[in-house]
Amino acid sequence: MPIARSIPFFALAALTACLSLPQVARTPGATVQQMLSGASVVGALADGTSYCEFHDPGGLVVGRDTEVYAGTWRMNGDSICYTYTGEATDCQFVQINGTRAVFVDMLGGATLSQGNIVPGNVCS
């Protein structure tokens, strides 16, 4: 019996959908960790709102856009995961080119934010 016939249709459809997801370009996690640890990202969110976010080497993140906020950041393989106060954890890929960082949705590759990497905390 062919393998395809022994797999229920819905499972085969789900597997096909997963295999057809676009490949999202990303910088390796170790490079992201090295570039962002102890640095700020100064740029804009996808909606054009300006933001600044400092990545403390100890895993804290502090930033400001329309207000000041805080949370934590950590690497999970090649993705960076943020947990802001009162919000669920959000993971995304980062594309780094020189000192430019673009944060992208892991599934569709949509740009979430982008900015320049600046050494130290320039956000407060």
Side-chain angles (χ1 to χ4, degrees):
M1 172 182 275
I3 294 175
R5 291 182 186 249
S6 65
I7 299 173
F9 175 76
F10 65 88
L12 186 58
L15 178 61
T16 302
C18 288
L19 293 175
S20 64
L21 290 175
Q23 292 294 316
V24 177
R26 59 184 168 254
T27 299
T31 302
V32 174
Q33 172 88 29
Q34 179 184 21
M35 293 291 293
L36 295 184
S37 185
S40 299
V41 177
V42 181
L45 303 174
D47 67 5
T49 303
S50 296
Y51 84 104
C52 185
E53 200 165 66
F54 173 66
H55 297 78
D56 181 83
L60 298 177
V61 62
V62 292
R64 60 178 161 78
D65 47 25
T66 57
E67 59 187 45
V68 176
Y69 57 88
T72 60
W73 72 283
R74 66 178 172 80
M75 296 306 301
N76 182 20
D78 286 340
S79 66
I80 189 167
C81 299
Y82 294 98
T83 306
Y84 299 106
T85 305
E87 296 182 18
T89 299
D90 177 47
C91 299
Q92 48 207 248
F93 292 129
V94 185
Q95 301 165 345
I96 296 178
N97 185 4
T99 59
R100 188 80 178 153
V102 178
F103 296 80
V104 297
D105 178 77
M106 291 174 48
L107 296 178
T111 298
L112 303 171
S113 64
Q114 56 187 316
N116 294 313
I117 303 169
V118 181
N121 183 357
V122 299
C123 300
S124 50

